[in-house]
């Protein structure tokens, strides 16, 4: 389908980002050529379905503490500085980049031209320069792929330079440790070193778009997946932190996939930022996730998986490298997709939470005020793996379900969402894809087939005319029946053997919500504040 072969000149990278004295430059190689290079370089093998399997090295997840933003005239008063957006000086950026250039001296690099944003009105041109062939192939899979003519006349807006083999020296470079990902909005560059984790590349550009789109274009950028019914006009978006089910639940055989992770909501459209998916493969089975399973073939890149002994058959249960095993593939590897990756404004919004306490109902309908409250709270329990150092579920409040990628204050995104919800009949649902029957350790994870049935019921209007009851403390409206789901699991309290323990746990979680929200109290309306859970004393 796509055509390849534009070879740049040595001058291109020198003129734009001062990269010179390089070894061979491989421009816009095809997946087949990149696959060959990876195998010849001893950096990967083919699985029995033809997918390329690689290991990302020391880092098998993102490293949020080593993610910096250059603080200068442009960003000083616009970026929301703190633990998420850690300041880096322009001088130190230049010095570190100089050392990176020295590292790349004489080395071969892979260059990839790509787009972000499926809506042409918001398109951003990216040039990705990588030390490794597989990082470049990841960029091919995950970003939008220009046509041959588009490649010929390609002019990059942003550059990403990714050199996993280059290790920073904190003493000299002012980093925290040897790995780093640094965003420079003035130079329109992202530099990544010391880590091969591919997710840093995609989430780097996501962070850039989370600045540019709301700040400069009045578009709400969202950490969500999206799909649309086969007839169109019923877009659904699924917000959620890592491991809550964005990718899994957006691949639905009855609906067209728009995208699995990053979208913009403009005046009348929801559009994907990316051209591919990045799915978890831990415990993957064809039975539970057929679309994802079948996407794992030539051109896909498996990360950090193990194999069944003596074979090239993946063992998706193998956690010996990490729990965060992944596969990236171009979006058209999924059968049923929206082309281009654009839908209209959503009719249904789902907030996915993997509640490790087993308190939140598997599905509940939110009022507009509750929607705003839960959007700003961004509650989940982090599931092991995607970030370094997290090995069991831990309570997290992450504003807008994606604080780690938000350069602006959360109020900016919340205001945009509020404006979009006001005066519409968009339905907002809270879905617990986490625990039921007790907290983590006692209860068990919600059955995927049940979650799918609840979402299908919501999307097909089958929850519009059923009875609802109110869950105390959280004041959530829970349907009392749902097609293909046993009624007794709909109310979380009834799934717990020990009701007193449920009430206590719910109360404790409510208190955490309240405490977390204190920081927003000053700038939040009374109506939204009234949507907070009511802690019983
Ligand atoms: P990331 O932002 O890191 O890509 P994500 O939100 O896309 O995360 P998924 O890749 O969809 O998360 O991961 C959800 C994982 O949880 C999958 O491995 C899926 O099989 C598993 N899972 C188990 N039970 C459920 C459930 N009830 N609903 C959704 N996912 C479930
Ligand atoms: Mn995902």
């Amino acid at each position: 389908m796509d055509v390849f072969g534009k070879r740049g000149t040595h001058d291109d990278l020198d003129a734009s980002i001062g990269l010179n004295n390089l070894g061979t430059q491989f421009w816009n190689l095809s997946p087949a050529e990149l696959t060959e290079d990876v195998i010849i370089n001893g950096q990967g093998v083919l699985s029995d379905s033809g997918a390329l399997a690689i290991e990302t090295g020391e880092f098998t997840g993102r490293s949020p503490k080593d993610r910096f933003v250059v603080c200068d005239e442009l960003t000083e008063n616009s970026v929301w500085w703190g633990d998420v957006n850690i300041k880096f000086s322009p001088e130190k950026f230049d010095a570190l980049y100089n050392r990176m250039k020295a590292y790349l001296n004489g080395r071969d690099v892979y260059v990839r031209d790509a787009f972000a944003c499926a809506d042409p009105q918001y398109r951003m041109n990216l040039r990705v320069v990588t030390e490794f062939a597989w990082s470049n192939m990841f960029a091919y899979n995950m970003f939008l792929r220009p046509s041959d003519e588009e490649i010929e006349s390609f002019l990059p807006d942003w550059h990403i330079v990714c050199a996993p083999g280059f290790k920073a020296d904190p003493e000299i470079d002012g980093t925290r440790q040897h790995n780093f990902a640094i965003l420079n909005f003035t130079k329109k560059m992202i530099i990544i070193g010391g880590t091969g984790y591919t997710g840093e590349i995609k989430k780097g550009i996501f962070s850039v778009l989370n600045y540019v789109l709301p700040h400069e274009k009045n578009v709400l950028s969202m950490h969500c997946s999206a799909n649309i019914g086969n007839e169109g006009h019923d877009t659904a978006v699924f917000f959620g932190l890592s491991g809550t089910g964005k990718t899994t639940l957006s691949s639905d055989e009855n609906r067209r996939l728009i995208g699995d992770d990053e979208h913009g909501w403009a005046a009348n459209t929801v559009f994907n930022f990316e051209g591919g998916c990045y799915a978890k493969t831990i415990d993957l089975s064809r039975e539970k996730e057929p679309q994802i399973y079948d996407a794992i073939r030539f051109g896909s890149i498996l990360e950090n998986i193990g194999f069944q002994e003596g074979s090239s058959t993946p063992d998706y249960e193998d956690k010996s490298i990490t729990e965060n095993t992944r596969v990236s593939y171009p979006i058209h590897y999924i059968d049923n997709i929206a082309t281009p990756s654009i839908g209209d404004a959503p009719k249904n919004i789902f907030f996915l939470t993997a509640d490790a306490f087993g308190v939140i109902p598997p599905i509940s309908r939110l009022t507009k005020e509750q929607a705003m409250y839960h959007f700003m709270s961004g509650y989940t329990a982090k599931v092991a793996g995607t970030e370094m150092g997290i090995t069991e579920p831990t309570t997290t409040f992450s504003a807008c379900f994606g604080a780690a990628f938000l350069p602006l204050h959360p109020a900016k995104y919340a205001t945009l969402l509020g404006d979009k919800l006001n005066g519409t009949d968009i339905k907002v649902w809270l879905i617990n894809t986490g625990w039921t029957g007790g907290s983590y350790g006692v209860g068990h994870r919600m059955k995927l087939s049940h979650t799918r049935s609840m979402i299908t019921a919501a999307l097909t209007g089958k929850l519009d005319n059923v009875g609802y009851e109110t869950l105390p403390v959280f004041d959530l409206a829970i349907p009392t029946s749902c097609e293909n789901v046993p009624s007794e699991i709909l109310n979380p309290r009834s799934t717990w053997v020990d009701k007193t323990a449920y009430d206590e746990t719910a109360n404790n979680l409510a208190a955490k919500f309240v405490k977390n929200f204190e920081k927003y109290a000053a700038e939040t309306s009374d109506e939204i504040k009234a949507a907070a859970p009511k802690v019983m004393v």
Side-chain angles (χ1 to χ4, degrees), residues 244-267:
T244 58
K246 291 183 299 299
T247 299
T248 300
L249 297 169
S250 59
S251 75
D252 173 337
E253 60 179 353
N254 298 312
R255 295 173 60 82
R256 292 188 186 141
L257 180 66
I258 298 174
D260 82 326
D261 198 49
E262 309 170 3
H263 293 82
W265 184 350

Side-chain angles (χ1 to χ4, degrees), residues 241-248 280 289 326 433 445-446 451:
L241 288 155
S242 185
T244 58
K246 291 183 299 299
T247 299
T248 300
K280 288 178 184 292
E289 301 184 55
R326 294 268 181 172
T433 64
R445 187 105 191 240
M446 204 74 64
T451 304

